[in-house]
C-alpha cells in the first residue's frame, strides 16, 4: 500500500489475460483498483474522481488518453505497461507492484 494511504489506480489494458495478471500482481496493495479495456471508461472516471495513477499501454492511443485525462487532472501520475516516459522501457509484471509503489510515493 502507498505510504499516504489507499490510492485510486486505473489500468487500461485490452487483453483479458493481461488484466487478470495485473489484478493478481496488484490486488494485495490495499489500493482501489479499476481495470478496464475501455479508455472512455477511464476518461469518464477521471471526470468524477481523482486518479492517483493511470497504468496504460505505451502507444498513440495511450498517449492520447493520457493527454485527455491530464487536461482534467494535471498532476496525474502515469506508468506505461510496455514503456515509460518518452522512451519505451518494459515493465514486467514481477516488478509492477514495486513500480506502482514508487510512482505513488512521488505524489
Amino acid at each position: 500500500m502507498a505510504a499516504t494511504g489507499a490510492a485510486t489506480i486505473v489500468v487500461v489494458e485490452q487483453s483479458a489475460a493481461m488484466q487478470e495478471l495485473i489484478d493478481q500482481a496488484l490486488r494485495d496493495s490495499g489500493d482501489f483498483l479499476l481495470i478496464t479495456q475501455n479508455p472512455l471508461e477511464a476518461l469518464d472516471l477521471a471526470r468524477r474522481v481523482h486518479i492517483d495513477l493511470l497504468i496504460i499501454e505505451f502507444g498513440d492511443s495511450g498517449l492520447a488518453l493520457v493527454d485527455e485525462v491530464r487536461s482534467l487532472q494535471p498532476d496525474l501520475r502515469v506508468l506505461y505497461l510496455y514503456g515509460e516516459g518518452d522512451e519505451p522501457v518494459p515493465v514486467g509484471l514481477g516488478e509492477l507492484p514495486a513500480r506502482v509503489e514508487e510512482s505513488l510515493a512521488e505524489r
Side-chain angles (χ1 to χ4, degrees), residues 52-86:
D52 294 295
L53 180 64
L54 177 65
I55 301 175
I56 192 163
E57 295 178 56
F58 186 84
D60 291 340
S61 62
L63 294 174
L65 177 62
V66 168
D67 287 343
E68 288 188 60
V69 175
R70 278 201 171 131
S71 73
L72 300 167
Q73 298 187 25
D75 61 339
L76 178 72
R77 308 287 312 156
V78 179
L79 182 63
Y80 294 100
L81 286 174
Y82 308 116
E84 185 171 340
D86 294 329

Side-chain angles (χ1 to χ4, degrees), residues 4-43:
T4 57
T8 299
I9 301 171
V10 176
V11 180
V12 180
E13 169 58 53
Q14 298 299 313
S15 163
M18 280 297 293
Q19 287 181 3
E20 180 61 30
L21 292 171
I22 292 166
D23 181 59
Q24 289 176 11
L26 299 179
R27 74 171 48 141
D28 293 332
S29 69
D31 297 315
F32 175 73
L33 185 63
L34 171 70
I35 301 176
T36 182
Q37 291 180 327
N38 187 343
L40 294 178
E41 186 176 3
L43 184 58

Side-chain angles (χ1 to χ4, degrees), residues 84-107:
E84 185 171 340
D86 294 329
E87 304 205 13
V89 177
V91 176
L93 287 174
E95 67 180 311
L96 187 58
R99 296 290 294 277
V100 165
E101 186 69 27
E102 288 172 16
S103 294
L104 293 173
E106 297 171 5
R107 64 183 170 135

